[in-house]
Amino acid sequence: MRWIIGILINAILFVAIAGFFEDSFYLSGFGAAIGASFMLSILNILVKPILIILTLPVTVLTLGLFLFVINAVTLMITDGFMGDSFEIAGFGTAILVSVIMSIVNLVIQKTVLEPAKEK
């Protein structure tokens, strides 16, 4: 259930970010947002751990900031799989979107999901 909630939250974030970055982030609709969110979650399960292990020395040297680059890479891979319904203009936009998504997901987890778990 938590995985489905995460997919829905990421889909809503995609829609919001696409509205904010109209020129560099394109999303054809909410269905595409759900599809991209689902694809991103699958990539986070399968590809992201491999990328983290391969780039561990760089991640340690940058005190974890390289994880934003890994998140941007998974977003660009999602862009490649989704075709014309989900487009990111460049790698810089992907890094910016990954930073925004990480911060918003952290805030949502700490304020909404964890207090609901304690009850």
Side-chain angles (χ1 to χ4, degrees):
M1 185 69 175
R2 186 176 173 101
W3 183 61
I4 294 171
I5 292 171
I7 288 175
L8 290 174
I9 289 171
N10 280 341
I12 293 168
L13 279 173
F14 280 147
V15 171
I17 292 170
F20 190 69
F21 297 110
E22 294 174 358
D23 296 335
S24 56
F25 190 90
Y26 172 75
L27 191 63
S28 66
F30 192 69
I34 290 177
S37 180
F38 180 75
M39 180 65 63
L40 183 64
S41 69
I42 297 298
L43 288 172
N44 282 339
I45 292 169
L46 298 175
V47 176
K48 190 174 177 180
I50 296 168
L51 291 176
I52 289 173
I53 290 171
L54 291 176
T55 61
L56 192 60
V58 176
T59 305
V60 170
L61 284 175
T62 61
L63 303 175
L65 292 176
F66 196 74
L67 291 174
F68 290 122
V69 175
I70 293 172
N71 288 340
V73 168
T74 57
L75 278 172
M76 294 300 288
I77 294 171
T78 302
D79 175 19
F81 281 135
M82 290 297 294
D84 293 336
S85 61
F86 180 82
E87 290 290 330
I88 299 175
F91 193 70
T93 304
I95 288 179
L96 185 60
V97 168
S98 74
V99 168
I100 292 170
M101 288 186 68
S102 297
I103 291 170
V104 172
N105 275 321
L106 178 71
V107 169
I108 289 173
Q109 283 180 358
K110 294 295 181 187
T111 59
V112 177
L113 297 180
E114 281 186 8
K117 232 188 337 183
E118 293 173 4
K119 292 182 181 178

